[in-house]
Amino acid sequence: HGIAGAFRRSIRGDKRGLDDTFQEIIDERDIGFGVSEGWLCEPVGKLIHMRGLNLNAAHSRFGDFKQDELAKLMEASNWYEHVASTYKEHAAGRRPIIFVPPKVEMAKRLQAELVAAGIGARYVIGQTCTMTERPQIYQGFRSGAVDCLISADVLVEGFDEPTADTAIFTRNTQSRGLYVQCIGRVLRPLPGVVDGLEHAEQRLVAIAASAKPYALILDLVGSSLKHELITLASLTGVDKQRDDES
């Protein structure tokens, strides 16, 4: 008798492959498959350099940056102003989720910065009540009363809101798994767009004609000669992008 397993994701933080447990990987469906088959919206990326953020001094642990060090470097680089200006220039009128480091005070201060700039932002952190406060925030986002959501390591997995069409990824990372999980939150087509369509060509045409023909991924990255950063460019095999190049 054999054992078969189905996994929602094959990218592990400890960098061990599923072949350590299973003799054979029968099939693997990634974001590229979902896009080409018309189950996901195509991600369109812009790489935006924060020139004041130098990551060479940061150290890694468990396959990603030490979050305390990363947060200090980001706060010393006018990060809040960078995020606000990026939102205004590239995401105004869209439905963004802003992914920030898992630091409560950073999420709170960024919300204050965005609200002061006239942007209706709400943060979601671990302490945000799941029974009352979170549903109210999500409903506000769905209705348009909330312009954007700020996620401090909360909306990375299991959050399903197809109206979200933009990911502003501000937490520089070396973790491919974390990055894929985050951008996956904004790749779902709008409700009803691909329902009942049997063929990929039909689904692709339907998505292209919908109010959400693609998902925008904004990568805010610092400079680093020491670390390899995961961005949409590296994820899709594009080695280099100029500032703001799609």
Side-chain angles (χ1 to χ4, degrees), residues 103-220:
K103 297 295 178 183
V104 171
E105 291 307 315
M106 292 186 75
K108 291 181 177 180
R109 183 175 166 187
L110 178 60
Q111 176 179 296
E113 186 83 25
L114 293 175
V115 169
I119 301 165
R122 291 294 303 272
Y123 63 76
V124 183
I125 58 178
Q127 296 94 320
T128 307
C129 179
T130 58
M131 297 298 292
T132 57
E133 193 173 3
R134 287 192 197 183
Q136 293 175 0
I137 293 173
Y138 299 157
Q139 179 56 38
F141 180 76
R142 194 173 299 118
S143 69
V146 173
D147 294 326
C148 70
L149 299 175
I150 302 170
S151 170
D153 226 20
V154 173
L155 307 181
V156 176
E157 296 182 0
F159 178 69
D160 183 14
E161 180 46 63
T163 60
D165 63 5
T166 302
I168 304 179
F169 199 82
T170 74
R171 57 177 296 184
N172 289 250
T173 186
Q174 299 170 287
S175 170
R176 183 184 178 92
L178 172 66
Y179 186 86
V180 168
Q181 286 292 317
C182 288
I183 69 170
R185 299 308 97 205
V186 302
L187 299 185
R188 300 178 190 274
L190 292 172
V193 170
V194 299
D195 293 355
L197 301 180
E198 296 183 5
H199 303 291
E201 293 80 5
Q202 295 174 306
R203 294 190 292 269
L204 290 168
V205 169
I207 290 174
S210 74
K212 183 183 173 182
Y214 66 92
L216 179 62
I217 313 298
L218 301 175
D219 285 310
L220 277 70

Side-chain angles (χ1 to χ4, degrees), residues 1-21:
H1 297 285
I3 298 176
F7 291 85
R8 186 161 51 90
R9 58 177 177 172
S10 60
I11 305 170
R12 295 167 52 112
D14 59 10
K15 299 185 178 181
R16 293 181 60 189
L18 293 179
D19 53 359
D20 289 345
T21 304

Side-chain angles (χ1 to χ4, degrees), residues 43-157:
V44 175
K46 291 186 178 181
L47 188 64
I48 301 169
H49 283 288
M50 295 187 288
R51 289 181 172 82
L53 178 57
N54 188 324
L55 299 172
N56 289 328
H59 297 87
S60 301
R61 180 173 56 191
F62 305 128
D64 204 356
F65 291 113
K66 291 184 177 180
Q67 294 304 304
D68 288 338
E69 290 184 354
L70 179 62
K72 289 179 181 179
L73 290 171
M74 292 172 71
E75 290 193 308
S77 67
N78 295 322
W79 174 76
Y80 301 99
E81 292 82 356
H82 277 300
V83 177
S85 63
T86 296
Y87 180 101
K88 291 179 182 178
E89 183 174 354
H90 300 287
R94 298 185 64 86
R95 314 294 299 140
I97 301 175
I98 304 176
F99 294 96
V100 304
K103 297 295 178 183
V104 171
E105 291 307 315
M106 292 186 75
K108 291 181 177 180
R109 183 175 166 187
L110 178 60
Q111 176 179 296
E113 186 83 25
L114 293 175
V115 169
I119 301 165
R122 291 294 303 272
Y123 63 76
V124 183
I125 58 178
Q127 296 94 320
T128 307
C129 179
T130 58
M131 297 298 292
T132 57
E133 193 173 3
R134 287 192 197 183
Q136 293 175 0
I137 293 173
Y138 299 157
Q139 179 56 38
F141 180 76
R142 194 173 299 118
S143 69
V146 173
D147 294 326
C148 70
L149 299 175
I150 302 170
S151 170
D153 226 20
V154 173
L155 307 181
V156 176
E157 296 182 0

